[in-house]
Amino acid sequence: MARWGDRWPRWRPWLLGTVAFGLALAVGLALRQLLLQVHYSAVMAAVAGTPASSIGLALIATALSYLALSGYDSSSLQYAGARVARATVLLTSFVAYALSNTIGLGPLSGGAVRMRLYTAAGLEPSQIGRVIAFNAAAFGLGMAAFGALGLLWGADEVGGLLHLSPLLLRLLSAALLVGLAGFIWLCTKRRGLRIGRWGMRLPTPELALRQLVISALELCASAAALWFLLPGQHIALPTFIAFYAIAVTAGIVSHVPGGVGVFEAVMLLASGGTVPTDAMLGALLLNRGIYYVLPLVLATGMLVAYELRSGVAAPVGRMAVHLSPRLMAALTLVAGLWLMVSGVTPFTEDAREILAHLNLPLPLIEASHFLGSVAGLGLLLVARGLLHQLDAAWWAALVLSLIAAVLALPKGIAITEAAMLSTLALLLVISRNQFDRRSSLFSQRLEPEWLLALGGVLLACVWVLFFAYREVGYSNRLWWQFELDGQAPRSLRALTGVALIALAYGLWQLLRPPAGAVATTTPEEIQRAADIVRANPSSDGCHVLVGDKHLMFSPSGRSFLMFGKQGRSWVSLYGPFGDAREWPDLVWQFIERANDHGGRAAFYQVRPATLPLYLDCGLHALKLGEYATVPLPGFSLKGAKRANLRSGVNRGEREGLLFEVVPADGVAALLPQLKQVSDAWLAEQRGREKSFSVGRFDADYLQRLPVAIVRRDDRILAFANLLTTDARKDASLDLMRHVPDAPPGTMDFLFAKIMLHLQAEGYERFGLGMSPMAGMAERRRAPRWQRLGRLLFEHGDRFYNFRGLHSFKDKFEPDWEARYLAAPPGLAPVFILADVAALIGGGLKGAIGR
């Protein structure tokens, strides 16, 4: 079982990709049957014959649909109890839906956009999670409600299509509507709903009814955007809405990006016999451009426009700028797909006449057609690099888009294609500052999902080629036919060349040698990291001095991160240190290196201020607990609140306890006594040395930092090593040990004296460390992770002294700040936390023992 558990993460992308590939193949076969009597020229004629007034109405309906979609976010925020400026809601909703509607890929999904922008607006990750969940549930309920209403209206037409009784369909739709009415009734009577282990907080009835109205407006507007593009009035709008709801649902369930092919197949099947197939296919093609591609271009332009503002001060504005690589990657994918499809379809008769009139050389036409397709493949490949903000990917995308834009004219007077590519190039130029990662494109390893998606694109192009040139019989002579009217041979050569290049690239990706093993950290690297930490305000970086973690440096050497590797988990402790400008690049570098080794990257105990670094990379944030920090300028032992602490210090002084801070160069002489204290403490605790995020008794480590000790009669009773830096901003401690016969309150005495000493030295903060599982939400409908954390905190003393540790630190009246685990979604955090426990415990035995 363990062996399969290790193999499953490697095989999962391929298995899921195979399922998606099989579904796409089934869709292709279904479309082939539906389009047996349809000719490509008829479809293009339907597109060209669409009146400008119909396109204008479709544009208006699209604008109304996206405006209504912002109502989903407004309702979700109200449900989550969060307040966000209206302008932020509109921006977030539009960008999120423009991405998710068009692309549908995990790394580019709307959820990541909401997490990014709403975090910048001040929302907690748990609130944003509820926003995303409410959005999904509201969309499903809205589809069900108004699909059922449409089915009531058009049961006769749908029943004839599905060979089902119209009465049965009306009864089913009525039952669904009754169920929805019952749900709203529940909202008036109860605050929550629980079915087995699954539970949810119900919205207010006013919010539920408001959301149904919003869903109705959005569904009607989006369906009308397609309906306006149909010639005449072959089908009533209510019936069309029922078909539309079914098609959208099928596209979402299929998990095919943007529902491409699935949505079209259902609409073609549903409208058979009512709307001419060529007219419906032409309307669907136009709808893809108007409802999907155009909003993506506008959303990209909106975010890139922030680049033109000098010094954007608003947090949401700054975050919007950092989102532009996601949209640029999505737009590059669309442009690449456009070029690939354009390469396997013939140009129009008007374009042929213009090319003949201009008397362009045939080699130029042939070369532009072939190179345009190759540029499309190149754009598909560099889109991943844009997502990772690679400088080389930016240059490649810019050059390819400009070349393809120029070639679009001799290729077939493709004005729209040239405009699209020119817009992409312009947006790339404006957003140049976001692509500053110095890395080679050839060093990037494509994930299985990207390779499978590339294969799916090539197969789709093969299907389009056969559909466009169905009337052309194949013969070997086609390959050598070079003439202006020889469009089928030209497309055949272009697709074959692109397929061979893609095959070679895919084989190279699969057969290239894996990345080497992680190198052992050298003393020279530890010293380099120590020099960076010494100038850093955060004392967390002092954990690098233990020498038990691997190190990764930025290309400049001014920044680093430390990490441990356990199983398939690559876990960075605290995240990057050093020059903050290099942190995003270092985070991406770490994730890519873990991916190259077949691992999963995570960041342990990261602060709220740095969460956007990890959210940008598609990771999710899970709260681990809270970190206690005591502000030192105002710290004193005076006052009623510090009475117990003051009493402990006075008692220690009466019992002859003496406090001293030994500088690093004086620790060597004390090591034998410190070792006795440490061994006695371990024996008393029946424990073993820990590692990774917890200090251990190591002579080299202890001699690098000052040590605070408590003596009595020249005997050391307790000690703690101090984590300090030259910046004198932040200090903390790591290793804390005492002998079993130390007087009661010795550790209180040690802590208080340490803080008074650091206060006198001019330090601003003293870190008491993290309290695991503290500060979790107490609401019954809180996220499951936080409910589990609260349960462990309250009842998990058998496994760990959660409450005792929190109570000890809380008596110093610290400020509490959340700490998070940034990890991939799904079950990955469970495995990562198990591996973190093994890293801290020194292996599986240490993780389950003391």
Side-chain angles (χ1 to χ4, degrees):
M1 187 69 181
R3 292 181 61 189
W4 170 247
D6 292 337
R7 293 176 181 174
W8 166 245
R10 291 179 177 270
W11 284 102
R12 181 177 62 86
W14 294 102
L15 293 175
L16 296 179
T18 301
V19 172
F21 181 80
L23 180 61
L25 183 61
V27 169
L29 293 175
L31 285 173
R32 181 177 179 274
Q33 293 296 322
L34 289 170
L35 302 178
L36 282 176
Q37 305 302 320
V38 179
H39 295 280
Y40 176 80
S41 57
V43 175
M44 291 297 101
V47 172
T50 304
S53 58
S54 297
I55 294 176
L57 290 172
L59 288 170
I60 294 173
T62 297
L64 292 175
S65 174
Y66 277 87
L67 182 61
L69 283 171
S70 68
Y72 280 85
D73 279 67
S74 297
S75 298
S76 302
L77 290 166
Q78 183 177 340
Y79 173 79
R83 291 182 177 273
V84 177
R86 180 61 179 168
T88 301
V89 175
L90 289 172
L91 174 66
T92 304
S93 173
F94 181 62
V95 173
Y97 281 111
L99 269 176
S100 59
N101 285 347
T102 308
I103 303 300
L105 297 176
L108 302 175
S109 64
V113 174
R114 291 186 175 88
M115 185 65 74
R116 190 73 164 92
L117 291 182
Y118 286 149
T119 298
L123 270 62
E124 293 291 332
S126 58
Q127 289 179 302
I128 303 172
R130 291 195 292 272
V131 168
I132 295 172
F134 184 90
N135 256 320
F139 182 84
L141 290 175
M143 277 291 173
F146 298 101
L149 286 174
L151 192 59
L152 276 177
W153 179 281
D156 294 329
E157 292 84 353
V158 177
L161 176 65
L162 301 178
H163 304 289
L164 294 175
S165 167
L167 178 60
L168 176 62
L169 293 178
R170 286 192 172 95
L171 289 175
L172 289 174
S173 58
L176 183 57
L177 290 172
V178 169
L180 290 170
F183 174 78
I184 295 176
W185 177 81
L186 276 177
C187 293
T188 65
K189 300 296 181 181
R190 303 177 61 178
R191 297 184 60 186
L193 178 65
R194 178 167 293 277
I195 302 175
R197 295 183 178 181
W198 179 85
M200 65 170 292
R201 179 172 63 86
L202 294 175
T204 63
E206 295 79 11
L207 182 59
L209 289 173
R210 169 190 166 187
Q211 186 54 50
L212 286 176
V213 173
I214 292 171
S215 298
L217 293 174
E218 190 281 320
L219 183 64
C220 291
S222 59
L226 175 57
W227 186 73
F228 284 132
L229 298 172
L230 297 175
Q233 294 183 352
H234 295 281
I235 183 171
L237 182 57
T239 304
F240 186 82
I241 291 175
F243 290 144
Y244 183 85
I246 295 171
V248 170
T249 303
I252 294 172
V253 171
S254 71
H255 290 290
V256 174
V260 176
V262 179
F263 175 80
E264 284 77 8
V266 175
M267 290 304 301
L268 286 169
L269 185 66
S271 62
T274 307
V275 179
T277 305
D278 53 356
M280 174 57 79
L281 192 56
L284 288 168
L285 290 176
L286 275 176
N287 182 253
R288 280 286 171 187
I290 293 174
Y291 194 84
Y292 295 87
V293 177
L294 181 59
L296 179 63
V297 174
L298 292 176
T300 307
M302 286 175 59
L303 294 196
V304 171
Y306 281 94
E307 293 280 0
L308 300 178
R309 302 184 184 182
S310 57
V312 178
V316 175
R318 292 196 299 269
M319 298 309 172
V321 170
H322 291 301
L323 271 175
S324 59
R326 295 177 180 271
L327 283 94
M328 293 306 308
L331 194 57
T332 302
L333 278 174
V334 172
L337 182 60
W338 189 325
L339 285 171
M340 294 278 286
V341 173
S342 174
V344 295
T345 53
F347 49 66
T348 64
E349 187 62 28
D350 291 340
R352 182 201 173 281
E353 292 179 2
I354 295 174
L355 290 173
H357 177 73
L358 294 175
N359 198 24
L360 291 178
L362 184 60
L364 176 61
I365 297 175
E366 293 283 349
S368 62
H369 199 89
F370 182 85
L371 294 177
S373 298
V374 173
L377 174 64
L379 289 175
L380 291 179
L381 295 177
V382 303
R384 179 186 180 278
L386 291 176
L387 182 63
H388 289 200
Q389 299 175 257
L390 299 186
D391 174 80
W394 182 88
W395 280 107
L398 179 64
V399 171
L400 288 172
S401 58
L402 289 174
I403 290 175
V406 173
L407 295 178
L409 299 179
K411 170 183 169 180
I413 315 301
I415 304 297
T416 305
E417 183 178 304
M420 166 75 168
L421 293 164
S422 299
T423 301
L424 173 61
L426 177 62
L427 294 176
L428 281 168
V429 170
I430 297 174
S431 61
R432 175 67 182 95
N433 292 336
Q434 297 305 311
F435 302 93
D436 55 358
R437 294 192 56 214
R438 301 294 191 269
S439 180
S440 171
L441 275 176
F442 297 104
S443 66
Q444 305 298 304
R445 183 181 294 273
L446 290 185
E447 294 88 350
E449 295 93 332
W450 286 83
L451 293 175
L452 287 169
L454 182 60
V457 169
L458 289 173
L459 282 180
C461 289
V462 171
W463 183 91
V464 173
L465 175 73
F466 280 96
F467 172 70
Y469 298 106
R470 180 186 300 159
E471 70 280 1
V472 179
Y474 175 79
S475 68
N476 291 332
R477 292 178 297 176
L478 284 176
W479 295 96
W480 315 111
Q481 183 180 346
F482 295 91
E483 56 186 40
L484 183 60
D485 291 331
Q487 300 203 62
R490 191 177 300 123
S491 296
L492 193 62
R493 288 189 292 269
L495 181 59
T496 302
V498 167
L500 290 174
I501 296 173
L503 177 62
Y505 185 83
L507 289 174
W508 174 68
Q509 283 281 320
L510 292 173
L511 300 178
R512 64 191 290 195
V518 182
T520 303
T521 304
T522 64
E524 292 76 17
E525 289 178 326
I526 294 177
Q527 187 57 50
R528 286 173 58 196
D531 293 339
I532 296 173
V533 171
R534 191 176 298 115
N536 199 289
S538 173
S539 62
D540 289 338
C542 293
H543 283 87
V544 74
L545 302 177
V546 182
D548 61 344
K549 291 170 277 292
H550 304 287
L551 298 179
M552 177 180 288
F553 289 90
S554 65
S556 70
R558 296 194 301 269
S559 306
F560 78 96
L561 58 77
M562 50 186 160
F563 67 96
K565 184 178 180 296
Q566 176 70 28
R568 291 187 57 249
S569 298
W570 291 53
V571 186
S572 168
L573 181 62
Y574 303 125
F577 294 90
D579 189 345
R581 294 170 297 182
E582 298 181 339
W583 290 0
D585 180 71
L586 200 53
V587 169
W588 272 117
Q589 182 183 345
F590 177 70
I591 293 173
E592 290 165 355
R593 187 172 179 186
N595 291 339
D596 286 345
H597 284 74
R600 47 180 171 247
F603 297 83
Y604 182 67
Q605 288 198 40
V606 296
R607 305 180 63 177
T610 62
L611 277 181
L613 288 174
Y614 315 110
L615 301 178
D616 276 350
C617 303
L619 302 181
H620 288 202
L622 294 174
K623 189 174 182 179
L624 295 172
E626 293 186 334
Y627 188 93
T629 303
V630 178
L632 293 178
F635 177 78
S636 73
L637 299 179
K638 299 178 181 179
K641 293 183 178 180
R642 301 276 169 79
N644 291 334
L645 189 60
R646 183 172 63 252
S647 175
V649 172
N650 292 335
R651 181 175 57 194
E653 291 176 344
R654 288 195 303 270
E655 294 185 1
L657 300 184
L658 299 175
F659 171 80
E660 180 184 358
V661 175
V662 181
D665 55 8
V667 173
L670 299 177
L671 282 177
Q673 296 183 63
L674 297 179
K675 184 70 166 59
Q676 292 178 2
V677 175
S678 177
D679 291 344
W681 184 84
L682 287 173
E684 175 72 13
Q685 299 294 322
R686 297 180 182 179
R688 53 187 292 178
E689 292 286 7
K690 305 296 184 182
S691 59
F692 191 58
S693 64
V694 181
R696 64 184 183 187
F697 193 94
D698 181 89
D700 292 336
Y701 170 49
L702 289 176
Q703 293 179 77
R704 288 178 171 269
L705 295 164
V707 174
I709 61 173
V710 175
R711 297 177 183 267
R712 186 171 65 179
D713 300 330
D714 294 330
R715 180 194 177 199
I716 297 179
L717 302 179
F719 74 90
N721 71 319
L722 303 182
L723 308 184
T724 60
T725 71
D726 292 346
R728 293 181 180 264
K729 294 286 186 182
D730 180 55
S732 57
L733 47 82
D734 184 19
L735 205 63
M736 301 171 289
R737 294 184 179 176
H738 61 84
V739 295
D741 59 340
T746 297
M747 297 309 289
D748 287 352
F749 176 85
L750 176 63
F751 270 68
K753 288 292 188 178
I754 287 174
M755 284 185 273
L756 291 172
H757 168 78
L758 293 172
Q759 183 188 60
E761 292 289 319
Y763 284 86
E764 297 180 5
R765 298 178 299 273
F766 178 64
L768 295 172
M770 191 177 76
S771 177
M773 300 302 165
M776 297 295 187
E778 299 184 17
R779 295 184 178 182
R780 292 180 58 195
R781 304 309 176 195
R784 291 182 179 179
W785 172 258
Q786 298 221 24
R787 281 185 282 159
L788 175 62
R790 170 60 59 178
L791 189 66
L792 284 173
F793 183 81
E794 294 178 351
H795 307 288
D797 289 345
R798 177 181 175 185
F799 308 101
Y800 188 87
N801 189 19
F802 293 104
R803 289 188 294 178
L805 181 62
H806 185 270
S807 298
F808 173 77
K809 295 177 180 180
D810 198 47
K811 65 185 177 183
F812 294 96
E813 299 182 41
D815 296 332
W816 293 97
E817 183 184 61
R819 287 290 188 270
Y820 294 92
L821 171 72
L827 292 176
V830 177
F831 298 112
I832 289 168
L833 287 174
D835 288 335
V836 168
L839 282 170
I840 295 173
L844 181 60
K845 182 178 179 180
I848 61 178
R850 298 189 69 181

